[in-house]
Amino acid sequence: MTLKLCVLTPTRIVWDSKVKETILSTNSGQIGILPNHIPIATVVDIGILRIRYNDQWLTMALMGGFSRIDNNEITILVNDAEKGSDIDLQEA
């Protein structure tokens, strides 16, 4: 079973795909989200979103916002986001 994850900023869609699991940084700590998670809306902290996709873990930097989890769908609205693979370590 999978979850549909959508990560949006005001200017673009950063991620829109099915995943197996996520770990999200919230204002009250990290939460793990698996299929059939209870519905919840929460504030997203500045931090790392961990995504289990095709049996490997990926990361994404999130710059604060909100998330909604319901019916095996996760929608994350943030000020900005960057996939870990797109971050230039020299520039950071």
Side-chain angles (χ1 to χ4, degrees):
M1 187 169 270
T2 59
L3 299 156
K4 182 177 185 321
L5 173 64
C6 187
V7 179
L8 306 164
T9 73
T11 59
R12 64 191 171 112
I13 299 170
V14 181
W15 184 281
D16 189 13
S17 185
K18 293 191 180 281
V19 301
K20 291 188 175 183
E21 177 181 2
T22 65
I23 299 174
L24 179 64
S25 295
T26 72
N27 62 341
S28 59
Q30 292 185 333
I31 59 170
I33 304 161
L34 293 166
N36 297 318
H37 195 283
I38 62 168
I40 188 173
T42 187
V43 174
V44 175
D45 252 357
I46 294 173
I48 302 298
L49 172 66
R50 296 185 63 213
I51 303 165
R52 191 161 65 119
Y53 179 73
N54 290 339
D55 293 324
Q56 66 182 24
W57 284 98
L58 307 173
T59 58
M60 186 179 300
L62 301 180
M63 300 300 136
F66 299 92
S67 70
R68 181 178 150 268
I69 301 147
D70 190 22
N71 201 26
N72 289 325
E73 293 186 5
I74 306 167
T75 304
I76 302 174
L77 308 170
V78 289
N79 295 317
D80 200 7
E82 196 74 37
K83 293 179 187 174
S85 60
D86 293 342
I87 295 174
D88 181 350
L89 296 179
Q90 293 292 339
E91 187 178 319

